[in-house]
Each structure stands twice: as structure tokens, then as C-alpha cells.
Amino acid sequence: MQGGIPLESIEGTLEKIRFYSEESSYLVGVLRCRDSKEITFVGSFPPMQEGESLLLRGQWQVHPRYGRQLAVEQWERLLPATEEGLKRYLSSGLIKGIGPVTADRIVGRFGLDTLDVMEHEPERLQEVDGIGARKAADILKSYSRYKDVQNVLVFLQGYGISVSQAMRLYRRYGSDTIRQVKENPYRMAEDIFGVGFKTADKIALKLGMAEDAPERIQAAIAYTLSRAAEQGHVYLPRDLLFERMQELLTGAEKGLSGQYLDRQLRAMVDQKKLFCEQLEAGEAVYYAPFYQAEKNSARLIHHLSRLARPYTALETSQALGAVKHDHPYLTEEQLQVMDEALHNGILIVTGGPGTGKTTTIKALLSTFRLLRQKVLLAAPTGRAAKRVTEATGQEASTIHRLLEYSFTEGEGFNFKRNEDNPVEGQVVIIDEASMVDLLLMYNLLKALPDGCRLIMVGDVDQLPAVGAGNVLRDLIASGAVQCYRLGYIFRQARESLIVVNAHRVNQGEMPYLNVKKKDFFFMPQEDPEQAAELVVQLCRERLPNYGPYDPLLDLQVLTPMRKTAAGVDRLNIMLQQALNPPARDKLETTSRGTVYRLGDKVMQIRNNYQKEVFNGDIGLVTAIDREAAELVVTFRDVLMDRPVIYDFTELDELVLSYAVSVHKSQGSEYPVIVMPVLTQHYMLLQRNLLYTGITRAKKLAVLVGSKKALAIAVRNTKAEDRYTFLDGRLKMGAAD
């Protein structure tokens, strides 16, 4: 009852879902009542399936456009009262393993006693034709999980948590979700992808947490540093940390003194959760893993630099002579790299497109093989490892696989290769080194045996790693590691306008836009809406006919931003409709408002070590099984295509990838890139972003946009500053 007006109660079957938002949990549905009449109702609900039996309580209202509808304030799920209702309920997708055929057989065997049998005599499911012991166990496991999920959803919705967030929590904590949330709500912000401090804070305050509670302030500190790491920062200056914290906190704690905030910070330092260090820019506050990684990386780099075994003059001469004979087209620059590699424990080789970095890697492999050294070749991502494998003929692995990152019962995921169990090799070559972040670099350094040589090859002028740190740039800036920059552009590369224009952009010059070459085109279009339409037209018709190029396998749209008319989100919807429209023979499923259809191009957006897929990996949806509630994505791996199974509840790890951000394209090459460059993207129009985008193209680059936007990007050399101090530690010498 609200305001003295009693709530009307209505029972019936959910006949149709007209609208549902997983983010807001708002549902518009049609209920078939017991007397067969149909009514429209609205309200907040967890994911529902047509065919469910419901008891709704609410008040009637008249919508100016949609007419009379029941605004639901309370609701309950009811057990289906008819055999037909039971069949629809069981086959709705809520219970994994039961589709329409299996549901029909189960209800045909047990009638209205079906749910009672599943609850109290589950072994009897095996009486049904087609259900053996294993399938029965799977069905019952899913049914039990479903009931758990409903309890969790009801509990969390009482605290204003959306359905999609609640499902992420359940996937992490399972049937223990409610206890974990009550015990420490702030763990959610650390443990759950997509759940932030404000969500956890909302629950904590409703559970009675004081606004100035030490647990709350410390959680805000930890979360602020974690968010900073996601933006690339290894530490934050103390004053900036407190400033960003205030943006998180609301209420009485706004008036908390700096002394009180500092006291909570010092408490975390005492617990070794944080480390503070006085730097030139002020007091730096580090999350513990990043402090240890930065400090010890500097120590290990100095250690490796000193310990590499020197080759004799005779060995050097013979190796270089043999390499010259086997690789007669090596330039003096590349031969100098070979010499430097033989005289340094750590070497960095950098250079732009067309300067022969891959040829240099091949020559390095030959050089060290001649010296009977075991060489390990790796790259940060599967895509980059596959590319260098194809280019050099030597199998490369991801760095994670090289270090044997895997799950151990009781310990979780960790690197099996470390200081106690180093990799078995005398030389390690890392390609696409600009993508290596600080934590990965630290784990790599720990796993290199004494005397091992480390050679890092990459383009320092590209965008930095997605993770925290700016490792390649810091190593070069420190002067503590030998670095060689390849500058000579090979003749064949000079004939490519992709290469020429990439170097012009990198040197602060406008790219050539009107030269009649077949591998670089600029298509002027200043209006963002029309630019987006032109991008779709290029991908659907013009470029496939020009190539011929496969729209899914050969073309990749890159764009600087997400939330614009020609941004990632909108272009994906437009390109999906144009390149993979719905059809009667194409299965599809919907998650968080996104339709995933058979044949769709999708991208993994977080590292999932269990599935061995990583942030930025792109694949195709090759199977959808509604009965098993699973979707299969096939990724191009180093040696072969690899199918990966996703439960429908894991689809928040995937996004459509007909269009991706330039940042997500790092380490990849595509036959054709199409890139809108518009003034609407001014916040991210930077030289290194434009340079990175152009250099992703192997055969053809097409820019769509305005000359003004291009000029802004070319002039803007201010790359986003990152708070790191690896270069400073290296300059000072090994940290103690």
C-alpha cells in the first residue's frame, strides 16, 4: 500500500517482453492473466523469460502514449500451474541443458510434479528418454545455480544494484555472494570487472558503514590508485591522490581534514599495502605491486646488463661474417645492431615502419644460432606472436605462455617461470616491446637466468602499453640500456605511401593526401554522421570490390573515441547491420543490450587467463548453442585457429569489433584499415595516435575526415603523461 492506496495483485504468465534494459533493469511486459485477458506492466526486474508465472502487485497508471499499464512495486515468481507453462518455463533458457524438446519429454513424464521431482528426487530425471546421468547432473547443477541467482538478485536489487552488476558478482562469488557482500562490500570494487567504488560504496552505506569509517577511506585510496593504474600510472602524487578521492566520496567526509586522510594512508603503508617515496614532483604513493615491480625491475635490468657473457673477438667476427654471407642485404645499421647484440646484456632496437625491424630479428636469430645459443622469441599478445612467427619462421609465443602463466589450486593464477625456475634459453627476443607494461616486464625479468641476453624490438613512437607504465620509453630515456634506432627506410617501403605518410606524421608533417598511390587514400568528409555512413559504405561495397578484400577478415575500422557519431560504439551497430544482418538461419543472443549473432566479429576486453584470451584479441562467433547457453568464438592463435567457449553469463567480456579504438589495435596489423579522423575527436587527436593507426595497415589505409582534424593530430605532440619513475631509478643505479 502506498499513500493509503492498496496495491492490486494479479497472477498470470509472462506472455511477451516488449522492452528490457539490463543496465537499468527496467522491463515492459505483457501478462496473460488467469482469465486469459492481457495487461501491460512495467517495473524493475531481473532477467525474465517469456512463459514464467508471476504474481504482480502494483498500481494502475495511464501512460500518455501507451495507455493503461500496471506499475509494479512488488513481484514474486510462481511455479507454473499448467503443463504448457512448465514446458515454457523449463525451455526458456534459464536452465542450461533444457531446450524445447527436452522440456517436452520431462513434463510428458512427470506432469505437474516436474519441479517437485527436480527438487526432491533429482535422480528420477534419468527416467526421461535422452537424459543420462551426466546430463541429469548438468541440468540439476544449472537449476540449483538458477535458484541461487534469484536469491542474489533479489538481495542486491534491494541495494540498488543493477542486474548486470549482480550477475558479475555471482560469477565471482557464487552461492557465497550475499555473505561476501555483507562482510566487505568494498571487495567488489577490487574483484569484479565493471563494478566500481561507487557501487560498492552504495551498498556499504546502506549496510550502515559510517561515512568517515577507516575501511571506507582506505577503500577509496585503493580504488583511486587502481583506476590510475588502468590509465597507465604507476603511482600518484599524494595531493593528486587526495584530490581524485574527493571526486569519489560524497557526504560528510568531504570536510575530513588532510590529516585524517593522511592517517588512513599511513595505516595502509604500515600494512605494506602502499609505499610512499619522496620524488622531485613530491611524495609519490604506490600500490604495493607497482612499487615492487618498478624498484626491482631497475635492479634486475642493471643485474642482467652486467652479467651477459662476452663473446671473444673471434666468435664475434665469425658470427658477423656468417650473417653477412647469409643475409647479404643487411644495411650497415642492421649489422651494427648484430654487433651491439653480441656486446650487451640488454639491447633495445627501435624504428618506424619500413626500417627493417623484422628483418633484423631474423638476422639476430641467425647470429645466435651460429653461436649455438638457444633463442626464445615472444611478443605481448597472441596476434603479435602469430605475426612474428609468420615473418621469421621461428615459433614465437606470448610472454604469458613463455612464462607459463597458469592456475594452481590454492594459489590461483601465477607465473610458473620465475627467479627459482627461470626460462631455458640464453637469448630472449621480445617483439612489439612498446606494448609491454611494468608488471609484465617485471615478471619477464625475474624469469631470465643469469647471463641471459634480452633484446627488445619495438616502435617507441607508437602509443604506450595499455597497462601501467611506459617501459620502453623509460628504458630509452634512462640511458642505462643500449638502444639502437633504425632510420634507413628500405626502397620497397619507400614506395608505400602508408610508410611514407607514417614517417611524415611522426616528423610533424602533414601526410600526402593527393598522391596517386594505391595504398593510401584520404576521403574528405567533415560531418560526423555522413563520415560514419561513408565508413559503412566503404566496408560494405567499395573496398571489397576494390581489393577484393573480405569485409570481416581483411578490413578493420579504427577510430579514436567510443562515444561519438563516428565512434566505436555507433560504428559497430551500423557495421553489424551492414555486414552481418539478421537472418532466419542465423542464431543470435542478446547480452547487456548487445546482439551477438553467428558470424559476428568480436573482441575480448579483459585478460582471461583461464581461457587464454587477452584484452584486444579479435575473433569470429562460430557457434551459438541456446540449449547449452553457450557461444563459441574462434580466435586466430599462433599456430592454428582456436575455438573458445563462453557461457552466456560471460558475454560481458566481449564486444563487437567491426570497429575498435586505435589503442586496442596495438600489436596488430590488418590488410586494410579505415579510420575516421574528425574534429569531433579533438580530445584524442594526437600525433602518436594517428601514427599508430596508419601503421596498422599492411596493404591499404583509408582516412575519412577533415584536413583540419589531421592537422590538429599532427601538431599535437603532447602524449598523455604517465606517472612513472623507472627511468629515474635506472639513472640512479640499482635500487637498494
Side-chain angles (χ1 to χ4, degrees), residues 623-642:
I624 296 175
D625 187 333
R626 286 178 176 159
E627 184 155 313
E630 291 176 345
L631 176 148
V632 177
V633 178
T634 298
F635 293 94
R636 292 183 177 182
D637 212 335
V638 177
L639 296 178
M640 64 184 71
D641 290 351
R642 185 168 64 91

Side-chain angles (χ1 to χ4, degrees), residues 62 93 103 108 259 292 302 391 441 448 505 519 562 604 610 729:
V62 179
Q259 281 186 327
Q292 299 293 353
H302 280 288
M441 183 66 183
L448 300 182
V505 167
D519 68 344
R562 298 198 64 85
Q604 176 80 12
Q610 206 156 8
R729 295 185 192 282

Side-chain angles (χ1 to χ4, degrees), residues 106 109-110 113-128 131 136 140 143 147:
I106 293 173
R109 177 71 179 85
F110 301 117
D113 294 330
T114 294
L115 295 180
D116 190 60
V117 168
M118 292 177 68
E119 191 78 38
H120 303 293
E121 300 176 275
E123 68 281 354
R124 290 190 62 197
L125 278 178
Q126 296 180 58
E127 297 174 15
V128 177
I131 299 181
L140 292 168
Y143 182 56
K147 291 191 296 180

